[in-house]
Amino acid sequence: MDESHVEAFADAASDGVAFDGIEARVEGDRYAVEAADGSATAVATEEFADVAAEYDEYVTNWYFWHATAPQTGARWAFLRWVEGADSTPVPERYDRLRAGLTTTWGQLAVTASLSEGGDRVYDLRHEDDQAEIDRGEDPSLDTYEDPLDARELAKYDDDGQYRPLKTAPTLQTGWEFTELDAADLVEAVHAFYPATVQNWYREREGELDVNHWHETVERQTGIYGVIQTWDRGEGHEHVDWVAEACCDDSQCLKRREWEYDEETELDPDGDQRDAGEFPCREPCSLVITAARKWTKLEGEESRTYEFELTPSEKEQVEEIIDAVADGRTADVREADIYDGANRYRTRFLRAKLFDDEGDLSGVETDD
């Protein structure tokens, strides 16, 4: 055991230690040590090093959490959560860490392992790539060392499309960070998912400040001030539509905690959903930007248009809308002619129903 670990633990024991299943204190000229497994001993000061060696895992664990891990509340708590420190005894936890203990955070797979002296090292990958590794496969991954490189990786999806919402479930694959220390791991997680660790921690501490839709809209100014005209105390069905469109699991990994206002819940499930660990405390900029467009669109007066569709064509229009809304158009195979969103079936429908000006059934749009 590292002598510095023993010395630090002995110094702390002079004021009393009670941490992760071990207790140590000074009683006169002796050290008294007790562990969660029921063992206990008391020895003279000069013999403490020998006793500490018997409790090697407990001592090195104490040293890591008090001398190596970041000491800020959110980072410390997150690292503890990664290895299940608050629910798993040290001996069992060390067995898991020796084998590599993997936890997911959004689409990130965090693998914690033990290094010499009880320190932790962390590997960070996309959960899909980690799943391949767990199956014994060998995905081709680019290795990064600087945790801030995660900022660039978070910008685009696998198709090279820009990701305006960092917590969308579209994080690209094909990368890894290996052997990160505790501080760099948290830095990389923050670069992928900004503020998620902090808000998760504030929620755990009962200090998460939630800004609901109504109060968020009231703060909008400039070009976004138009959203206020859509919020005149006439019910909140329009906000239900916004939440369903933008905040569903398939669109965002956050767990929505905001409602219409403090007393009025929205119809779509928010914090009751089986979403991720981290909460959403207010309507994000993407929601507000989309709401601005919908405010203008919903300001139009309705018109009556008449189209003739066969029952199958009506169902096909519904399937096309569902496929686009769920983002599954790329998954519809060209050979699957039975899927209403199939490209050839959709092109046939367009050829049949659109005129030369692109109007459905030749019906012009009334401006």
Side-chain angles (χ1 to χ4, degrees):
M1 178 185 293
D2 192 310
E3 186 175 328
S4 63
H5 295 187
V6 177
E7 291 177 354
F9 188 77
D11 287 342
S14 63
D15 294 322
V17 168
F19 181 76
D20 272 4
I22 190 170
E23 296 184 17
R25 60 191 177 275
V26 173
E27 296 179 346
D29 60 351
R30 300 170 71 80
Y31 279 102
V33 182
E34 299 178 17
D37 61 8
S39 62
T41 188
V43 297
T45 303
E46 62 271 15
E47 298 174 338
F48 183 75
D50 295 333
V51 172
E54 297 177 17
Y55 296 96
D56 175 57
E57 292 180 346
Y58 288 101
V59 173
T60 58
N61 179 70
W62 174 89
Y63 187 84
F64 171 77
W65 290 112
H66 291 85
T68 304
Q71 296 301 297
T72 55
R75 292 170 180 248
W76 197 80
F78 173 73
L79 291 166
R80 299 269 296 170
W81 175 84
V82 163
E83 63 180 66
D86 294 331
S87 59
T88 310
V90 168
E92 179 182 346
R93 192 168 4 124
Y94 265 46
D95 287 342
R96 294 181 181 181
L97 287 168
R98 290 187 185 97
L101 193 162
T102 300
T103 309
T104 58
W105 183 261
Q107 288 186 293
L108 300 177
V110 183
T111 301
S113 304
L114 279 179
S115 65
E116 292 184 9
D119 275 349
R120 274 64 161 171
V121 292
Y122 302 90
D123 294 340
L124 186 64
R125 302 180 180 91
H126 192 289
E127 61 178 351
D128 291 348
D129 293 326
Q130 184 63 51
E132 290 188 27
I133 293 173
D134 293 341
R135 292 194 297 267
E137 302 173 17
D138 186 19
S140 176
L141 305 179
D142 296 326
T143 302
Y144 297 85
E145 296 181 358
D146 187 346
L148 296 183
D149 287 338
R151 293 177 179 174
E152 193 65 26
L153 291 169
K155 285 184 178 180
Y156 306 99
D157 63 18
D158 277 331
D159 296 324
Q161 298 295 314
Y162 178 71
R163 300 172 66 241
L165 182 63
K166 293 298 178 283
T167 50
T170 55
L171 184 63
Q172 65 174 290
T173 58
W175 51 266
E176 65 178 355
F177 294 81
T178 59
E179 298 187 357
L180 294 173
D181 64 22
D184 282 347
L185 170 70
V186 181
E187 196 69 35
V189 170
H190 179 76
F192 277 116
Y193 295 136
T196 55
V197 170
Q198 290 83 351
N199 285 333
W200 165 85
Y201 178 71
R202 292 166 68 190
E203 182 181 50
R204 277 172 47 120
E205 297 298 303
E207 298 174 355
L208 183 68
D209 55 327
V210 177
N211 293 320
H212 298 286
W213 168 271
H214 190 70
E215 57 192 282
T216 302
V217 165
E218 285 185 327
R219 295 199 309 266
Q220 303 308 309
T221 58
I223 63 173
Y224 295 100
V226 68
I227 303 175
Q228 297 181 29
T229 67
W230 196 19
D231 198 43
R232 299 189 288 275
E234 300 170 352
H236 58 81
E237 186 179 30
H238 59 297
V239 191
D240 289 335
W241 299 335
V242 172
E244 183 175 342
C246 298
C247 306
D248 181 81
D249 291 352
S250 63
Q251 305 304 306
C252 183
L253 297 170
K254 286 184 177 179
R255 171 173 29 87
R256 179 177 58 79
E257 293 297 323
W258 57 269
E259 303 289 350
Y260 178 72
D261 57 33
E262 193 169 347
E263 289 79 31
T264 312
E265 293 186 358
L266 298 175
D267 286 344
D269 287 340
D271 58 359
Q272 301 302 314
R273 296 178 301 135
D274 293 328
E277 290 289 339
F278 36 90
C280 176
R281 53 177 291 273
E282 65 180 355
C284 67
S285 59
L286 186 146
V287 168
I288 295 300
T289 300
R292 175 176 177 265
K293 180 63 175 179
W294 288 323
T295 301
K296 294 184 175 182
L297 294 176
E298 289 300 304
E300 296 180 1
E301 293 184 7
S302 61
R303 302 285 192 272
T304 299
Y305 298 94
E306 185 173 327
F307 307 102
E308 289 190 3
L309 300 173
T310 66
S312 294
E313 289 169 347
K314 173 183 174 295
E315 290 180 347
Q316 185 181 354
V317 170
E318 294 164 350
E319 288 184 56
I320 292 171
I321 292 174
D322 275 342
V324 173
D326 292 340
R328 66 174 190 87
T329 53
D331 298 328
V332 180
R333 295 179 297 110
E334 291 192 2
D336 189 2
I337 209 69
Y338 295 99
D339 193 313
N342 173 270
R343 184 160 63 93
Y344 292 115
R345 279 194 62 182
T346 303
R347 289 174 63 86
F348 180 85
L349 194 66
R350 182 179 67 178
K352 175 182 177 181
L353 299 180
F354 282 32
D355 64 13
D356 293 339
E357 281 70 43
D359 292 322
L360 178 60
S361 297
V363 178
E364 295 184 1
T365 301
D366 187 350
D367 293 334

